Amino acid sequence: MSEAQVREAQVREAQVREVEVREGVIPPGEGSERLDRALARLWPDLSRSRLQALIRDGQVTLEDATIGDPSAKVTGGQRVAVAVPPPRPAEPEPEARDLTVVYEDDDLIVIDKPAGLVVHPGAGNDSGTLVNALLAHCGASLSGIGGVARPGIVHRLDKDTTGLMVVAKTDLAHQDLSAQFADHGRTGPLERAYLALVWGRLEPAIGTIDAALARSERNREKIAVVREERGRHAITHYRIEAMLGMQEPVGLVRCRLETGRTHQIRVHLAHRGHPLLGDAVYGAAFRTKANRLEPEARAALDALGRQALHAALLGFRHPRTGDSLRFESPPPADMARLIAALTP
């Protein structure tokens, strides 16, 4: 059987399995480039993350040879084919749950996440997650490009961090929003800001924390500041909004992320000696400071029962219309009570 006949047979088999087969030629570029990047230029409607998954799954051939490495180098003029299976249904089951929907259209949904809600299923969290609730709310429209267990998820918040999140409902939205979040507003339109309550007074009042982060070698459940060569670059910009507290100083701090690492704000502020109030992971050494708060503030902190961190601002470019969208969320009731109790 000739190579052409083999390809025809593969196409027929794929059609039976409802798999779309795309064939093309690597467009000219400046020398060699990564396979996944070249395919993203060739088929811009497919996100780079999805193309990487298809490559690793053996669904891409280059000059009739299967390529399994997304970083493989290619040059313009090479023939390429990719088999694109239909989106797989997400494994998590839909679970009806009240969601605070701030904005929704055919492409995306913005929600105000409450405390205690895990974003996507994982070890020990097979149900009761935001993804389960979104599947019930959005139905078949939810994008599956973020992964079977994380359909539509572009970014996430810690379980006990509250505030604004955007979720993609289409492949186009997922691809565009993922690119905006990867840029973190350095050159694009993305805007995110968090409000945090921290122990003590940060100096200077407006500043930047630039410290690499990596998984702690002592406790794999924690993130730690490490030498630049050992970790991932991480930058947090902050500004003190107000100084609160009467006997024990507490800062209301506004943080803006230039990178989006796990636990970044919590670790960076703790590294500077000003952990978040209520942070049992990174602020345990400051627990006794709660005893120096006024009774009403101490009771409010006990009632909070989590780190005092809220995603208060989210702005981005709409992936389809190009319009600028900007949303703000006030601190939730439990954090607002703590702020009020700390205000002189």
Side-chain angles (χ1 to χ4, degrees):
M1 184 180 293
S2 67
E3 290 182 357
Q5 290 173 321
V6 170
R7 285 199 300 275
E8 289 178 4
Q10 290 173 337
V11 170
R12 285 195 299 271
E13 181 184 357
Q15 290 173 339
V16 171
R17 293 186 289 120
E18 298 182 347
V19 174
E20 176 191 6
V21 175
R22 302 187 185 189
E23 295 183 295
V25 176
I26 299 295
E30 297 180 1
S32 62
E33 63 179 325
R34 287 174 56 109
L35 174 61
D36 57 352
R37 186 174 291 118
L39 294 184
R41 291 200 296 121
L42 185 59
W43 292 297
D45 61 311
L46 295 176
S47 67
R48 192 168 165 190
S49 60
R50 189 179 194 191
L51 287 166
Q52 290 171 344
L54 291 172
I55 294 169
R56 294 189 183 100
D57 198 36
Q59 302 299 320
V60 174
T61 59
L62 183 70
E63 297 290 343
D64 298 317
T66 299
I67 303 295
D69 181 6
S71 65
K73 298 300 182 181
V74 298
T75 56
Q78 291 183 293
R79 290 182 295 107
V80 65
V82 56
V84 185
R88 293 179 294 172
E91 291 181 352
E93 294 293 327
E95 297 174 6
R97 178 188 178 119
D98 289 337
L99 294 173
T100 302
V101 178
V102 178
Y103 174 88
E104 183 176 12
D105 61 23
D106 291 340
D107 295 288
L108 56 90
I109 180 172
V110 178
I111 63 108
D112 201 336
K113 189 185 86 66
L117 181 61
V118 176
V119 170
H120 54 73
N125 294 296
D126 295 331
S127 63
T129 70
L130 175 61
V131 162
N132 297 109
L134 287 169
L135 288 171
H137 180 87
C138 302
S141 66
L142 197 64
S143 167
I145 304 309
V148 173
R150 295 183 286 184
I153 300 300
V154 178
H155 66 121
R156 70 180 186 88
L157 298 176
D158 293 340
K159 174 184 176 182
D160 289 324
T161 297
T162 57
L164 296 166
M165 285 187 61
V166 59
V167 177
K169 294 170 66 176
T170 65
D171 292 352
L172 171 68
H174 194 280
Q175 180 179 351
D176 189 273
L177 289 170
S178 294
Q180 292 185 56
F181 274 85
D183 182 71
H184 292 288
R186 287 186 290 266
T187 62
L190 186 74
E191 185 180 7
R192 286 193 294 168
Y194 295 74
L195 288 177
L197 289 170
V198 306
W199 293 111
R201 181 189 294 271
L202 275 160
E203 295 289 350
I206 300 175
T208 296
I209 304 172
D210 186 343
L213 301 176
R215 188 71 59 178
S216 171
E217 294 182 351
R218 295 181 179 180
N219 183 346
R220 301 301 293 174
E221 295 183 358
K222 296 178 65 174
I223 305 298
V225 169
V226 297
R227 295 190 304 273
E228 188 70 29
E229 64 271 16
R230 284 194 51 234
R232 303 182 70 186
H233 192 55
I235 297 177
T236 302
H237 304 283
Y238 71 85
R239 181 183 70 213
I240 296 178
E241 297 283 278
M243 286 306 302
L244 309 174
M246 287 162 270
Q247 297 185 31
E248 186 67 34
V250 171
L252 176 61
V253 180
R254 188 178 185 89
C255 298
R256 181 174 64 82
L257 299 180
E258 190 173 319
T259 55
R261 311 305 182 199
T262 301
H263 298 178
Q264 179 173 318
I265 291 175
R266 298 165 63 188
V267 178
H268 270 176
L269 291 173
H271 175 66
R272 287 286 297 271
H274 301 280
L276 274 61
L277 272 66
D279 194 335
V281 176
Y282 300 105
F286 284 66
R287 191 173 300 159
T288 57
K289 284 185 174 291
N291 298 327
R292 300 180 59 184
L293 295 176
E294 294 294 316
E296 184 181 355
R298 181 176 179 182
L301 178 56
D302 289 341
L304 185 73
R306 59 179 177 87
Q307 68 266 9
L309 183 63
H310 177 66
L313 171 66
L314 177 62
F316 54 89
R317 179 188 62 244
H318 193 285
R320 184 177 300 278
T321 68
D323 294 339
S324 295
L325 300 180
R326 193 174 189 270
F327 307 96
E328 294 190 56
S329 166
D334 56 357
M335 188 170 169
R337 282 192 293 270
L338 178 55
I339 293 172
L342 289 165
T343 302

